Amino acid sequence: MNENIKENSKHINPFFHPYNTPHDTVPFNQIALEDYEEAFMEGIKRDNEEIDKIINNPDEPTFDNTIVHEDDEKGPHYYDLLDRVSNVFSCMLSAETNDELDALAQKMSPILTKHANDVSLNPKLFERVRKVYENHRELTPEEQMLLNNSYDGFVRSGALLDEKGKEKLRKLTEESSILTLQFSQNLLKDTKAFELHITDEKQLEGLPDSAKEAAALCAKEKEKDGWIFTLDYPSYSPFMTYSTQRELRKQMYMARNTLCTHDNKENNLDICKRLINLRREIAQLLGHETYADYVLKHRMASNADHVYKLLNDLIEAYKPTALQEVESIKQEAQKLEGKDFELEPWDFSYYSHKLQMEKYNLDAEMLRPYFELSKVIKGVFGLATKLYGITFKENKDIQVYHPDVKAYEVFDKDGSYLAVLYADFYPRKGKQGGAWMTEFKGQWITKKGENSRPHVSVVTNLTKPTAEKPALLTLSEVETFLHEFGHSLHGMFANTRFESLSGTNVWWDFVELPSQFMENYAIEKDFLRTFAFHYETGEPIPDDLIERIVKSRNFLAAYGCLRQVSFGLLDMAYYTKKEAFDEDIIPFEKKAWEKAIITKQLPNTCMTVQFGHIMAGGYAAGYYSYKWAEVLDADAFSVFKANGIFNQETAQRFRDNILSKGGTEHPMTLYKRFRGQEPTIDALLKRNGIIKS
C-alpha cells in the first residue's frame, strides 16, 4: 500500500472502477490509506440507494425483485463497493497492518456496524422479505436456502424487536464490534512487544541450527547483536522443545501464557468479560436463553446438549490414554533429572521431545531438510492436481500486498481459469499469529450465466528462510499448510449461483471438514514420496523415516485431543451463561475446563485473553467445531483409504457434493450424498489408536 499516492493530484480511488488487472485482482500498489475511508463511505451511500430502490418498488415483493436483488446478482461491470473495500481492508488488518490502519479500523467500526444495523433493522425492507418468505414461487433448493437465510438473517439481527429493543440492539452490537477489534489489536501488540534477547552463546545450548539461524536473522532485522526469540510459533516452539535453559524456557512460557493480562493498555481481561456479557445480552434480547442457544440454532450440533455430549464422549474415550501419556513424560523427566524432579508446564515440550526421540528416534529437526518450502508447495499443489486435475501457475503480473506474498493462477482440469490463489507464508511485524484462509473476492454466477471466479488467500506463519538455508518446515507446519490449503480448495471450487452461499459460507461446524481432511495426507507415504527430497542432496526421504513418522503419529494424540476439548469446554462455559458474568476470568477459566485438564495449571496464566477464536474470530460458542469436523474428516478420509488416497473418482464425488456446493443445502445432506451414510466416531478413534482396527 502506497501512502504517498495522494501527493499526485490526479490520483483516482481504485475501488471505484474496474481494476484493469489480471482477473480483476486488487491493485495493491494503487491504494492509498485515504482510499479506504472514501470507499467505505461511498459504499454505504450506494447500499442505501439500492435499498431505497427495493423498498420503494411499487410491484408486489417477489424472490426476484427483493431477495435476489438484495443478495446482488452482480453483472460483469457492476461492483458491490462496500464488499469490495471491506474484503481488502479486513485482509490487510490481519496480514499487513500498521498504526494508521488500526486507527482507521477503530474509526470505521462503529460506522460500519451502524450501517449493518440500519439494513437489518429497516422495517420496510424486512416487510418485503417477510412477504416473499410467506408467499413465493416454486424455488430451487439453492434459492430456498437463500430465502431462508435472508429471512432468518433479519430475524436474528432484530427485525422482530420493537423500537426500544432495536435501539438497545444497536448499542450492544456497536460496542461489541469496537471491543472485538480492540481485543485483536491488543493481542497483536502484546505478542509483538516481547522478545527474548540473548547475547551469550552458551544460552543457546540444545537449540538446533535452524532455530539459532532464525534468531540471528531476527536480531539482525532489529539491528541488534546476538539472537532474538519471539512468541511467533516458528520461534517459540523450537525454543520450548530444545532449549536446555530451564529458566529461559520458563520466561518464554510465562510471556506467552500471560499475554494481555498485565497492568497496561493491552490488558484484555475486562474486554473479555464485557464481550461475554454483550453476547449474552444480544442473545437474550433476541429471545434466546444463552448465546450458545442463539449460535447453535444454525449449526450441525443444533444445541448445547449435543455439543457437551461430543466433548464428554471424547473425554471418556481419550482421558485414560492421555493420563498415561502425561505420566510417561513425567517418568522420562525423572529418569533424566532425578526422582524428585517436578515437571512444570515449561518442561512439557522439552521432555516429551526426549521421550519421542527415545521411543521413535524422531524429531522435527530430522524432517526439516526434506520439507523445503518450495518443494512442499509443489507437493501440495501436486496433490490437488492428482486428486482434481487442477494446476497452478505463478503470475508475477498479479500485484501483491507484501514482497513475501506469491500469486498463482489456478486452472481447472479442462484448462479453464478457476481462481486466483495468494500465498503468504512468513511471520512479520504487522501480521497476526496463526494461520487462516480468506478471500479478496467470492464466487457467483450472473443472470447471463457468467461464472465470476474467486480470489482466495492462504496466510500462515511458517519458518522463514535465513542467509544460510531456505525455508525448511516441520511436519506440523506442513500440516498447517495442508489445513489452510483445504480451506482454499473449498473457496476455489465454489460453484454456486449466489455469493453468500458459495465456498466457505457454510455452517461453522462443517467449515473445518475440507481443511482437516487435507491434513490426513501429511503422513501418507505415497504423498511424501512426491515432494520430500533433501534440500541439499536431492535424496528422497528414507522409508525408515516415513515408518517412524507413521508409528509416531499418535504420540500424545490423546493429550492433544483433551487440549482441544478443554478449549471447547471453556468456550461453552462462557456462552451458556444465563446470568450476567461477573466472575474473575482467570479462576473461572481454571474451573471451566478442569474436567479435561491433566497437567499442572499455574494461577496467573490465562488462555481467554488471547483466545482470538472465541473472542474475536467468530468461533464463540463454536470452538467444538474442530472436534465435530474431525469426526467428519476421519470418516471421509476412510473412504479414500479404502478406494486409494489419490482416487480421482472419489475425489470428484468429494468436490461435487461438498467442496463446490458451499452452503446451498444442509451440511448433513451434502455429507451423506458423498458418503452414503452419516458419520460415526469410529474412524477417528481408530485413527488415534484409541480402538484397534
Side-chain angles (χ1 to χ4, degrees), residues 630-650:
E630 200 172 342
V631 171
L632 294 174
D633 93 67
D635 189 69
F637 195 67
S638 70
V639 182
F640 281 79
K641 289 288 281 186
N643 297 332
I645 63 169
F646 301 131
N647 185 278
Q648 293 185 351
E649 184 180 337
T650 308

Side-chain angles (χ1 to χ4, degrees), residues 411-431:
F411 299 97
D412 214 335
K413 58 185 174 184
D414 63 359
S416 61
Y417 163 68
L418 185 68
V420 169
L421 173 66
Y422 297 88
D424 180 0
F425 291 115
Y426 307 128
R428 55 180 172 268
K429 182 181 178 183
K431 189 177 184 181

Side-chain angles (χ1 to χ4, degrees), residues 264-280:
N264 57 29
K265 60 184 180 180
E266 278 78 46
N267 187 300
N268 273 340
L269 285 165
D270 287 340
I271 289 176
C272 290
K273 190 179 293 190
R274 184 61 184 143
L275 281 171
I276 293 161
N277 280 318
L278 283 169
R279 288 166 182 159
R280 176 189 53 78

Side-chain angles (χ1 to χ4, degrees), residues 161-193:
L161 297 174
D162 59 21
E163 287 307 311
K164 183 179 178 182
K166 288 179 180 179
E167 188 56 36
K168 183 178 181 182
L169 184 66
R170 284 179 179 274
K171 291 179 180 177
L172 293 174
T173 53
E174 286 177 17
E175 184 182 357
S176 178
S177 71
I178 292 170
L179 290 180
T180 297
L181 179 63
Q182 188 64 52
F183 175 96
S184 296
Q185 291 179 348
N186 285 351
L187 180 56
L188 177 62
K189 288 174 182 175
D190 214 28
T191 301
K192 300 300 181 181

Side-chain angles (χ1 to χ4, degrees), residues 215-235:
L217 177 63
C218 184
K220 183 178 180 181
E221 289 173 346
K222 294 180 180 233
E223 299 181 342
K224 294 182 179 180
D225 295 330
W227 302 264
I228 288 178
F229 295 88
T230 71
L231 300 182
D232 292 322
Y233 182 80
S235 180

Side-chain angles (χ1 to χ4, degrees), residues 76-89:
H77 302 299
Y78 179 81
Y79 299 99
D80 185 322
L81 179 59
L82 195 55
D83 275 357
R84 203 178 200 213
V85 63
S86 294
N87 287 346
V88 177
F89 188 70

Side-chain angles (χ1 to χ4, degrees), residues 508-553:
W508 280 63
D509 47 8
F510 192 62
V511 77
E512 297 298 336
L513 165 59
S515 55
Q516 293 181 181
F517 168 82
M518 290 297 287
E519 289 184 48
N520 286 281
Y521 284 93
I523 67 158
E524 289 292 333
K525 181 176 181 178
D526 289 343
F527 172 56
L528 292 171
R529 277 273 175 249
T530 66
F531 73 93
F533 299 96
H534 197 285
Y535 79 102
E536 289 179 313
T537 68
E539 290 295 313
I541 187 169
D543 285 344
D544 74 297
L545 202 49
I546 295 177
E547 287 170 13
R548 280 182 270 158
I549 293 172
V550 174
K551 286 180 180 177
S552 69
R553 73 169 300 178

Side-chain angles (χ1 to χ4, degrees), residues 554-566:
N554 287 326
F555 181 67
L556 299 187
Y559 167 81
C561 175
L562 284 197
R563 186 171 181 270
Q564 287 289 87
V565 168
S566 72

